[in-house]
């Protein structure tokens, strides 16, 4: 029996807009609450925040990351070494947000998130190195914001330097969320109508 080889055309339509928008939505939900202290924490608020965390930042990034990794490794429809980093990082970010969402829903102890933030701080430095090295400054700026998120998350999770650390986390969540909305607009407009926004 002769093996059959399938070849798929290379696509430039990498679904990064899904990941940008999902994470940006999560950050714009959590950030202002941390920054301004409103609405006040409650069991019902934890449920609401938790479900948003599971679905938008969590699910959107897992779908994007797996789509990229499968497209790179199985079907060869995407090309470009930085996409490997994007696939790995968005996949693990998605899984991380599923855990964060579940923690919020249950009102669980936040201290283990402090230890988690060390690993994700290092992951964000890796992302910054990769995208700065290839000259993709808008995504490198994103990772600079994420480095700020996980730096402040360490202190906020352990209740150190509060309320400054919580407000700092809210600040980085909010500005990084706003930058993610810019990246969402840039990738969608560039692909859809041929705009030339930096991306």
């Amino acid at each position: 029996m002769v093996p059959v080889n399938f070849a798929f055309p290379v696509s430039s339509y990498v679904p990064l807009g899904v990941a940008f928008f999902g994470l940006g939505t999560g950050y714009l939900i959590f950030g202002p609450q941390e920054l301004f202290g409103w609405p006040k924490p409650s069991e019902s608020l934890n449920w609401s925040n938790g479900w948003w965390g599971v679905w938008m930042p969590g699910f959107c990034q897992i779908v994007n990351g797996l789509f990229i990794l499968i497209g790179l490794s199985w079907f060869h429809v995407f090309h470009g070494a930085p996409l490997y980093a994007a696939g790995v990082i968005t996949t693990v970010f998605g899984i991380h947000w599923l855990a964060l969402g579940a923690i919020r829903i249950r009102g669980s102890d936040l201290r283990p998130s402090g230890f988690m933030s060390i690993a994700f701080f290092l992951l964000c430095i890796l992302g910054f190195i990769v995208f700065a090295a290839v000259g993709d400054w808008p995504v490198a700026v994103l990772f600079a914001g994420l480095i700020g998120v996980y730096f402040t998350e360490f202190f906020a999770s352990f209740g150190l330097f509060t309320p400054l650390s919580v407000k700092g986390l809210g600040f980085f969540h909010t500005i990084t969320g706003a930058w993610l909305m810019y990246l969402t607009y840039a990738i969608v407009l560039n692909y859809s109508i041929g705009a030339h926004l930096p991306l």
Side-chain angles (χ1 to χ4, degrees):
M1 180 182 234
V2 178
V4 177
N5 292 321
F6 293 97
F8 296 93
V10 173
S11 174
S12 60
Y13 295 101
V14 182
L16 284 168
V18 175
F20 292 152
F21 185 77
L23 183 58
T25 300
Y27 278 6
L28 291 176
I29 291 170
F30 283 28
Q33 293 179 54
E34 295 157 339
L35 187 57
F36 302 113
W38 185 87
K40 294 296 182 188
S42 67
E43 186 178 345
S44 63
L45 186 65
N46 282 340
W47 269 89
S48 180
N49 284 336
W51 277 114
W52 277 115
V54 165
W55 287 109
M56 292 304 297
F59 191 69
C60 287
Q61 288 191 97
I62 287 175
V63 167
N64 170 81
L66 292 177
F67 200 93
I68 290 173
L69 292 174
I70 291 169
L72 283 169
S73 59
W74 293 359
F75 298 109
H76 310 290
V77 293
F78 302 133
H79 287 247
L83 282 179
Y84 176 73
V88 169
I89 291 169
T90 55
T91 301
V92 298
F93 256 80
I95 295 166
H96 150 70
W97 270 94
L98 294 181
L100 285 181
I103 289 166
R104 287 288 181 118
I105 288 169
R106 295 180 59 84
S108 301
D109 192 333
L110 294 177
R111 288 175 296 178
S113 295
F115 295 114
M116 169 280 300
S117 68
I118 298 169
F120 277 83
F121 178 81
L122 296 173
L123 182 68
C124 293
I125 291 173
L126 176 63
F128 180 84
I129 291 168
V130 168
F131 289 99
V134 298
D136 191 343
W137 69 264
V139 178
V141 168
L142 167 61
F143 279 100
L146 293 171
I147 288 168
V149 166
Y150 289 101
F151 178 79
T152 52
E153 176 115 31
F154 176 83
F155 298 101
S157 296
F158 288 121
L160 302 172
F161 307 113
T162 57
L164 182 61
S165 59
V166 174
K167 290 190 178 296
L169 178 59
F171 171 77
F172 280 110
H173 272 154
T174 303
I175 63 166
T176 306
W179 187 248
L180 282 156
M181 290 300 135
Y182 163 76
L183 293 175
T184 303
Y185 266 69
I187 198 166
V188 170
L189 292 175
N190 288 357
Y191 284 146
S192 299
I193 62 172
H196 300 287
L197 296 168
L199 181 62

